[in-house]
Amino acid sequence: LKRVAKVPLDVHLMISEPDAYIESFAKAGADMISVHVEVLPRPHRTIQAIKQLGISAGVVLNPSTPVSALEEVAEEVDYVLIMSVNPGFGGQKFIPKSELKIKETRALLDRLGSHAAVEIDGGIDKHNIGKVVSAGTDIVVAGAAVFCGTNPEQATRELKTAAIARGATLSAGPL
């Protein structure tokens, strides 16, 4: 993918022992690697291992994980990925409380002086993208909304239009 990708490769390691795989994904061309804060026995060490490979480091919060779980690493990460569905499979419905979690995450990062971006993944579509952008999301992952329809390019344009209408600045490609 790295040879043909026109956007950064964002790798979300939704696994229980991410440290064992970080180097392999870096060698494969990852530009960003995020790991679940819930499974990290030594989060500082994992974040530093990612950064030492020249890759942006992120941590992930599952829907039931409180924002306070970020406090110890907020100043070290490049981004925080908020799961707005329970991890497991694509096409799930967006959990509405995620909008508040975005705001809480942005507030925590700002309070701690972190410049980390906020990313959202799960159930994003043209009906809720504006809300998550307004809440403080910087990076949006939209899988099913783009790839489960008949026209991925049109779906991407509709998402972009809805996000821009709520103040987003987009930099992820030509669409």
Side-chain angles (χ1 to χ4, degrees):
L1 284 175
K2 185 65 175 179
R3 289 189 295 269
V4 297
K6 294 179 181 167
V7 295
L9 293 181
D10 180 356
V11 176
H12 172 184
L13 296 181
M14 203 179 323
I15 55 179
S16 59
E17 294 184 30
D19 292 357
Y21 301 93
I22 290 168
E23 193 170 334
S24 294
F25 278 99
K27 286 179 181 175
D31 296 295
M32 304 165 65
I33 294 179
S34 57
V35 292
H36 282 255
V37 72
E38 301 91 355
V39 302
L40 296 177
R42 296 169 301 282
H44 299 286
R45 188 180 298 170
T46 301
I47 292 164
Q48 288 310 310
I50 295 168
K51 288 185 165 203
Q52 286 174 354
L53 294 167
I55 296 170
S56 294
V59 290
V60 185
L61 294 179
N62 279 330
S64 63
T65 304
V67 173
S68 61
L70 295 173
E71 290 201 41
E72 292 301 315
V73 296
E75 296 171 80
E76 294 179 46
V77 297
D78 298 304
Y79 64 105
V80 175
L81 170 52
I82 298 171
M83 292 300 299
S84 45
V85 299
N86 286 301
F89 60 93
Q92 296 181 63
K93 252 184 139 34
F94 178 81
I95 297 171
K97 281 187 170 183
S98 302
E99 188 179 343
L100 176 59
K101 195 169 203 171
I102 295 165
K103 291 177 183 177
E104 291 174 353
T105 301
R106 182 79 269 153
L108 174 79
L109 294 170
D110 290 347
R111 180 173 56 81
L112 296 175
S114 172
H115 298 291
V118 177
E119 180 175 15
I120 189 82
D121 182 2
I124 302 299
D125 60 29
K126 64 183 178 183
H127 304 292
N128 59 27
I129 193 170
K131 290 179 184 180
V132 300
V133 165
S134 292
T137 298
D138 302 297
I139 304 167
V140 176
V141 176
V146 173
F147 298 107
C148 289
T150 58
N151 188 336
E153 185 175 339
Q154 179 182 345
T156 303
R157 289 184 191 285
E158 289 173 358
L159 286 166
K160 179 179 178 180
T161 299
I164 290 172
R166 294 299 282 267
T169 336
L170 302 174
S171 61
L175 295 176

